[in-house]
Amino acid sequence: MDQPHQRATRDSRRSYGALMENHSFNLVDEAWVPAVKGGRPMPVSLLDALVRAHEIDGLATASPLETVAVLRQVLLPVYLEACGVPDGEDDWERRWQAGQPEDGVVERYLAGLRGRFDLFGDRPFGQVAGLRTAKDEDKPVSLLVAATATGNNVPLFTPRTEANPPPLTPAEAARAMLAAQCWDTAGIKSGAADDPQMKAGKTTGNPTGPCGALGVVVPIGRNLFETLLLNSPIVRQPPSDDAPHWRRPAMTGAWKNRGALGLLDLLTWQSRRIRLIPERNADGETVVRRVVLAAGDRLQLIPRDVEPHTAWRAVDKPRAGHASTVPVRHPSGRHAWRGLTPLLATVADPDTTFSSSILLTQLGDVDVADLPLQVLTVGVAYGNQSAVVEDVIADAIPLPLAALTAGDVRAVIEMVVEQAEGLRRAGNRLDDDLRRANGGDPVPWDKGLRLGDALIHDLNRVVRRLLAGLQREPDRYEEAERTWRTVAYEVALKAAEPAMAAVSPTAFLGREDGKQKKTYRASLAEVWYQASVRKILGVEPRPHLTTERKTYA
């Protein structure tokens, strides 16, 4: 006799088939991949994105979460399955020199699996056919979009409410679904009717999508093919049972707590069970307004030797049964260059707690000539037990290839990052001292914009120009270092001028702090700050910029 959840599955598939009639959107042929071609953003099909990857500038980054999801969950695994995972440096370099996929390989692969890429087919791509909850509930499609309101996740600036979800085109719905598989919030999820682990219509203990635990680092090339290859890790012995989700048995609402079978399984990890519900709008076009979203597979452990898109930090005292390394996540409100130290840790060093990503590490072992490498960093800051999205962190910076191997260029960059942080702390202390001298209290570290934090923003342009300069001419690292010290010194002194001009006359007489038994004076604060700046940068007072700034910065 059929179990209740088996009967529910069979009945839901009957109704699902009727709903899907006259709806089709095949990702192989339809334009949905957010690309940039000839400097102009335009969507392209999956087939065009891969076959003509060398003619496409890259992926559009208007929505960085979706950009990473499309690359990681579809483009990269299709390329790796069709062309094979590089099995060594020679294989990788051969592909790099070819500059495009082999003729016909991607076409034959997609032709053989074309039915698996229909968003609304009998086996809908990335979804569970006939997925339903015990009460046949569905939710607004905004549940898939981190920047829209749904439930407790209400962004500060949004014109929409959960009762007014945006109608998504099939292309938009596909990208949003992929992003949800990567970044969805944690917490309670609806239980699928055929999920034996469901309790009271819910599943609890769901983690975020797998990318939510990472500080994602994506190397970017001059065109989409270079980007695909730069994101292709060398795997010398791929597991025989590793495969993307579209080549495995059709999913049901039941989920597992398991480890990744390999790279392809990890890239296409189905952390949620999803069903998009299509309908016709007033113009007769297919749109998606409603969705069924339930719990998906839970990743037991992020595999350090497989996960390609994050740097790692060693845990000082790992607990029994826990990993000894954890992914390095991107903090909110910080430019990507401030987190370069772990990204540059491509050479094993017992004195550092960081190690770079697999992809950046292998770039130190292959020949990519004079590639102007860009690095895209993307992450999500969650709040309230990871059940809401507080911030989406995204940045892109130039990264000199010479910095990925031990040497002078790396040393200069690491020095710049360290000194910039030192200047930030000195600026924040000056801000605190001036506020005390004025009779007030320092601004809490997580409230408002302090002088040192504003200084970092002023230095952002300087550091980016330095990185771009070292990318073009790494041999001029000594000149770059001298110029940095000169320019950073002038910027640091200039940043303090408005704060000093704003203090009251009494601040120069000083105010005694009874608790600390210390007198705070504006004049002393200024002297201390200038001395700190000189010590951090190793410079003497200079009334004017030298010509070094003109020749390099």
Side-chain angles (χ1 to χ4, degrees), residues 312-334:
W312 300 83
R313 175 178 59 81
V315 179
D316 291 336
K317 297 179 180 179
R319 293 181 292 172
H322 288 71
S324 59
T325 58
V326 295
V328 176
R329 300 182 63 181
H330 307 311
S332 295
R334 290 182 60 175

Side-chain angles (χ1 to χ4, degrees), residues 286-467:
T286 298
V287 296
V288 178
R289 297 178 189 271
R290 311 292 296 182
V291 64
V292 179
L293 185 146
D297 293 338
R298 301 181 184 182
L299 191 60
Q300 287 178 340
L301 185 70
I302 299 174
R304 168 71 179 84
D305 58 340
V306 178
E307 172 54 60
H309 285 125
T310 191
W312 300 83
R313 175 178 59 81
V315 179
D316 291 336
K317 297 179 180 179
R319 293 181 292 172
H322 288 71
S324 59
T325 58
V326 295
V328 176
R329 300 182 63 181
H330 307 311
S332 295
R334 290 182 60 175
H335 302 293
W337 59 265
R338 294 177 63 191
L340 273 176
T341 298
L343 301 190
L344 298 182
T346 56
V347 180
D349 184 351
D351 295 329
T352 182
T353 59
F354 297 112
S355 55
S356 188
S357 70
I358 290 174
L359 298 173
L360 291 184
T361 299
Q362 77 181 24
L363 272 178
D365 300 324
V366 295
D367 182 11
V368 290
D370 57 348
L371 169 71
L373 177 66
Q374 299 284 317
V375 171
L376 173 67
T377 60
V378 182
V380 169
Y382 299 94
N384 191 20
Q385 298 182 328
S386 297
V388 297
V389 173
E390 288 191 342
D391 192 16
V392 174
I393 304 131
D395 196 6
I397 55 171
L399 185 60
L401 287 172
L404 297 178
T405 56
D408 295 317
V409 173
R410 175 189 290 183
V412 168
I413 294 175
E414 290 178 335
M415 178 207 71
V416 166
V417 172
E418 181 181 355
Q419 290 183 350
E421 287 301 312
L423 293 176
R424 182 188 66 83
R425 291 191 294 269
N428 285 344
R429 178 173 170 180
L430 173 62
D431 188 86
D432 293 346
D433 289 349
L434 291 179
R435 289 179 183 274
R436 290 190 178 101
N438 271 319
D441 294 320
V443 175
W445 68 270
D446 59 343
K447 306 291 183 182
L449 182 65
R450 298 194 291 172
L451 191 153
D453 301 318
L455 172 57
I456 280 289
H457 287 284
D458 293 338
L459 291 173
N460 177 51
R461 178 184 60 85
V462 180
V463 176
R464 289 177 186 273
R465 292 182 65 184
L466 179 139
L467 292 173

